[in-house]
Amino acid sequence: MSLSFEHTTLGQRVLFGSGKAAENLAAETSRLGAGSIMVIASDFEMPMARTVAAGIEVTLWHNEVVMHVPIETAHAARDAATNARIDLIVCVGGGSTTGLAKAVALETGIPIIAVPTTYAGSEATNVWGLTEAARKTTGVDDRVLPVTVIYDAELTLSLPVEMSVASGLNGMAHCIDSLWGPRADPINAALAAEGIRALAQGLPKIKNDPAGLPGREQALYGAYLSAVAFASAGSGMHHKICHVLGGTFNLPHAQTHATVLPYVLAFNAPHAPEAEARAAAAFGADTALGGLQALRELLDAPRALEDYGFTEAGIAEAVEVALPAIPASNPRRVTADNLAALLTAALNGADPKTLTDLS
């Protein structure tokens, strides 16, 4: 069978090294010739951000970070950057922090250096997201792609095991979605498979040795690969569902992705045999779902959306909002009925295998 596809590789500098974040940030801001720097970090991450930025001159510190990036929060950060004549943004934190930096860049074009402290992967994509009036909107714009990502596994040591698991499985969701996203191709499939392998190896090491660097380095590496694959393949069924659950119902981002993932995998896998086989091989398992579920059991991963505030009363609205956004290229036809069944199973933490035979 001949190959025929179109692939775009995003241009981004990656600096990876444990204990080297401050050194790499100082060198990179100098290389970019930054004159007025804004550092974005949440209150929790601010002490770490000040340590990372100890070697640079910071014009503006900004700590108003809110999950799912409400548009009011984005406008406040944009105005602060504009008033201070910022020419470089440094964001230190997880997906919400990176998302806020992207929201500023979207309107101003100010370049970003991202210093991730979780396994969210947002730092390696040109995807932005904003929430307004209980609706989360996402889009693609190269202005929001950080020019440089600085990975330092030491910065993730303070991330508790429970959040590390949820964040890492969020990265795993990027990988799985990339196997059947609207622009899926052999290159991002290869990246996604390696991302699955790295995360599947790294996350158990974090659980067994939270203070050790090897597992956290593997997880960061896997998270980067997952995000690069996702940026190329585009947002698939899983992410469209989770964006609705987050934006409309304010469910926590990482835990929601970690919970929904096995249900989307069970739903799609029988209709995408090549993708399923690739994922299974990456897990080192007979089936992709079996590999994922074995990993989730080992990690004591999030199990039910009801644990995070979602209720049966929200299913109809979630279906109404999510259904039109799911790509027509999804391997399996999605209807209001089978999407409601998927959400009901995820709500209750039912066995994902029940979804494989849905019509």
Side-chain angles (χ1 to χ4, degrees), residues 178-320:
S178 297
L179 295 175
W180 46 56
R183 298 187 303 276
D185 67 45
I187 296 175
N188 51 53
L191 293 170
E194 174 64 1
I196 291 171
R197 186 206 61 78
L199 287 163
Q201 288 192 0
L203 292 176
K205 291 179 181 178
I206 293 174
K207 184 174 175 63
N208 294 333
D209 182 16
L213 287 176
R216 294 187 180 273
E217 288 181 340
Q218 279 293 299
L220 271 182
Y221 165 64
Y224 170 72
L225 291 173
S226 76
V228 173
F230 178 74
S232 174
S235 182
M237 178 182 181
H238 172 90
H239 282 78
K240 297 303 184 184
I241 293 172
C242 290
H243 287 161
V244 171
L245 294 174
T248 302
F249 301 94
N250 202 35
L251 269 60
H253 184 84
Q255 292 90 336
T256 299
H257 281 270
T259 302
V260 171
L261 178 58
Y263 297 97
V264 174
L265 179 57
F267 183 90
N268 273 342
H271 300 260
E274 289 186 13
E276 197 281 335
R278 187 183 286 268
F283 280 116
D286 292 335
T287 67
L289 182 61
L292 176 62
Q293 290 298 77
L295 177 65
R296 285 170 49 80
E297 185 69 25
L298 183 65
L299 299 174
D300 192 23
R303 297 178 184 275
L305 291 177
E306 64 184 2
D307 294 337
Y308 304 102
F310 192 57
T311 67
E312 187 176 359
I315 289 176
E317 183 180 3
V319 169
E320 179 183 359

